[in-house]
């Protein structure tokens, strides 16, 4: 389990596809029950589009080719509404007992060998534009340094998060992060 995070749009370096052009993917987490919102936010409309449709559209406009939507609560209904979007649907069957980042891991695992870089976005963050994504794509090609906090480092590397840690645990995180391709790695919050 991961502690609460203020997550908007994240960018994670994945494996190499080996192609000449970089392949970008996106994981959209949409498995939650929207208990705080009291409405099924995945299908709430803004300007004629649902949150889900808007997030997918923004990624498509930026040129993101592989989009994985991780569903759970009311999954059949959401998947039916997004039929034809070109997104791949993955199901978090344990959505009632897991956290958003567990859903993200399902999507990241699916895209691991399909994409060089993967965007991560919860479905309830539809207010970004494709230009922002394009700028992130340009900066990702040049990234030599990554500076996640401990929670983000665990998420990025698939390492189990621990409240208590020692120097060996942190060194292991740093080694895994360096394996993602950055020349310099630091972990904050230690």
């Amino acid at each position: 389990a991961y502690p609460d995070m203020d997550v908007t749009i994240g960018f994670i370096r994945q494996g190499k596809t080996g192609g000449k052009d970089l392949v970008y993917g996106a994981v959209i987490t949409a498995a939650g029950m929207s208990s705080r919102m009291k409405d099924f936010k995945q299908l709430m409309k803004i300007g004629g589009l649902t949150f889900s449709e808007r997030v997918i559209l923004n990624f498509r406009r930026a040129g993101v080719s592989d989009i994985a939507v991780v569903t759970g609560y009311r999954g059949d209904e959401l998947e039916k509404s997004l039929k034809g979007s070109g997104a791949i649907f993955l199901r978090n069957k344990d959505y009632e007992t897991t956290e958003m980042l567990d859903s993200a891991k399902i999507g990241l695992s699916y895209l691991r060998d399909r994409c060089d870089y993967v965007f991560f976005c919860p479905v309830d963050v539809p207010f970004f534009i494709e230009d922002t994504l394009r700028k992130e794509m340009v900066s990702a090609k040049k990234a030599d340094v990554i500076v996640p906090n401990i929670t983000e480092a665990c998420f990025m590397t698939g390492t189990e998060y621990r409240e208590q840690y020692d120097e060996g645990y942190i060194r292991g995180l740093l080694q895994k992060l360096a394996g993602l391709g950055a020349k310099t790695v630091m972990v904050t919050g230690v």
Side-chain angles (χ1 to χ4, degrees), residues 26-28 56 60 65-71 79 82 85-91 107 110-111 114:
V27 173
I28 302 169
I56 292 170
R60 286 276 181 239
S65 55
D66 288 326
I67 300 174
V69 178
V70 183
T71 66
E79 292 170 20
L82 296 173
S85 68
I88 298 296
F89 303 107
L90 306 170
R91 191 67 66 99
Y110 173 79
L111 292 175
R114 300 174 59 90

Side-chain angles (χ1 to χ4, degrees), residues 11 13 22 24 117 135-143:
F11 199 64
R13 182 180 288 210
L22 294 177
Y24 295 92
Y117 294 92
K135 287 178 182 173
E136 288 291 324
M137 290 171 168
V138 169
S139 69
K141 293 177 189 176
K142 301 175 187 176

Side-chain angles (χ1 to χ4, degrees), residues 29-44 70-75 78 92-100 103 123-124:
T29 53
M33 296 183 287
S34 305
S35 53
R36 287 175 294 177
M37 198 135 206
K38 309 265 190 270
D39 197 357
F40 190 54
K41 60 189 165 193
Q42 293 87 326
L43 294 179
M44 288 176 60
V70 183
T71 66
Y73 178 68
R74 294 173 59 179
L78 179 59
N92 179 352
K93 294 177 181 163
D94 298 320
Y95 66 88
E96 290 182 90
T97 58
T98 58
E99 299 177 29
M100 175 182 55
S103 292
V123 74
D124 61 355

Side-chain angles (χ1 to χ4, degrees), residues 5-10 27-31 41-42 51-52 55 59 100-101 104 119-128:
M5 290 177 51
D6 180 21
V7 179
T8 52
I9 299 174
V27 173
I28 302 169
T29 53
K41 60 189 165 193
Q42 293 87 326
F51 277 34
S52 302
V55 173
F59 281 125
M100 175 182 55
L101 294 177
F119 286 101
F120 164 71
C121 183
V123 74
D124 61 355
V125 185
F127 301 111
F128 62 91

Side-chain angles (χ1 to χ4, degrees), residues 4 29 49 64-65 77 92 103 106 128 162:
D4 289 337
T29 53
L49 294 175
V64 176
S65 55
E77 180 183 359
N92 179 352
S103 292
I106 292 169
F128 62 91
R162 291 191 212 160

